Amino acid sequence: TLDASNGFVAPTGHVIQVQETFNLNSVGPINVSSNSLTATGIICSITPKYSNSKILIDWRANMADHPLSYGYGRMFLKVGSGSYSAMSGTSDYNAGYLNSTHNRYTSLSFSGQYQPTSTDILYFQPYYVSHANTLTVVHSNSSYSLRLMEIAQ
């Protein structure tokens, strides 16, 4: 254990902390039936130790399904008591795309980074949209993981 109270500062590139939310065996599916980006309810939060750190984001749903059409997703972020909004620099397909005629059963994922400007708590959550019927973001008996790493700069 390193004691930051004595002035220790983590060297550039070192991991300061890791936060993760995961489910290794989802009992029920996590579905989205809207034709607009919709919250999944899968949220991971981190409170940066330093305002100049880099936050690495890694999201993966190991088995998704759309039986009739297509769906896609994007990573959203909430800073402090603010509202969720799409992460700056992301686009609609950044958290995966699924099309029933090409890849009905597939994984959905996102890897990215965020540069905080304060030490306010950060909440990350994948949002998805379904065109026609229901997109299963996390299939029953499948798994998901949303991991955040703070990296010293």
Side-chain angles (χ1 to χ4, degrees):
T1 303
L2 300 173
D3 185 359
S5 66
N6 291 327
F8 171 79
V9 176
T12 299
H14 282 69
V15 175
I16 297 169
Q17 64 172 313
V18 176
Q19 301 296 327
E20 181 177 33
T21 184
F22 65 93
N23 188 329
L24 297 178
N25 189 13
S26 183
V27 175
I30 297 173
N31 295 320
V32 171
S33 298
S34 175
N35 62 359
S36 61
L37 286 163
T38 303
T40 60
I42 300 168
I43 300 167
C44 190
S45 65
I46 192 167
T47 303
K49 303 282 187 218
Y50 306 102
S51 61
N52 67 340
S53 298
K54 181 187 299 183
I55 306 296
L56 300 181
I57 307 110
D58 184 36
W59 152 250
R60 182 171 179 89
N62 287 325
M63 185 179 182
D65 175 29
H66 200 307
L68 298 175
S69 189
Y70 68 95
Y72 54 84
R74 193 170 185 180
M75 188 58 67
F76 274 56
L77 165 68
K78 180 172 101 168
V79 179
S81 60
S83 300
Y84 278 99
S85 61
M87 279 184 61
S88 178
T90 64
S91 63
D92 284 343
Y93 301 135
N94 284 135
Y97 173 82
L98 178 66
N99 186 313
S100 63
T101 60
H102 302 295
N103 59 340
R104 178 176 167 186
Y105 295 101
T106 190
S107 60
L108 297 170
S109 62
F110 172 84
S111 291
Q113 63 182 12
Y114 177 75
Q115 180 70 53
T117 56
S118 72
T119 55
D120 288 343
I121 190 168
L122 305 171
Y123 300 90
F124 293 86
Q125 178 174 198
Y127 276 52
Y128 284 88
V129 61
S130 175
H131 287 274
N133 215 338
T134 299
L135 167 66
T136 299
V137 177
V138 180
H139 203 283
S140 295
N141 301 315
S142 182
S143 62
Y144 66 81
S145 172
L146 178 53
R147 182 179 304 121
L148 308 172
M149 286 195 293
E150 182 180 5
I151 308 295
Q153 297 303 293

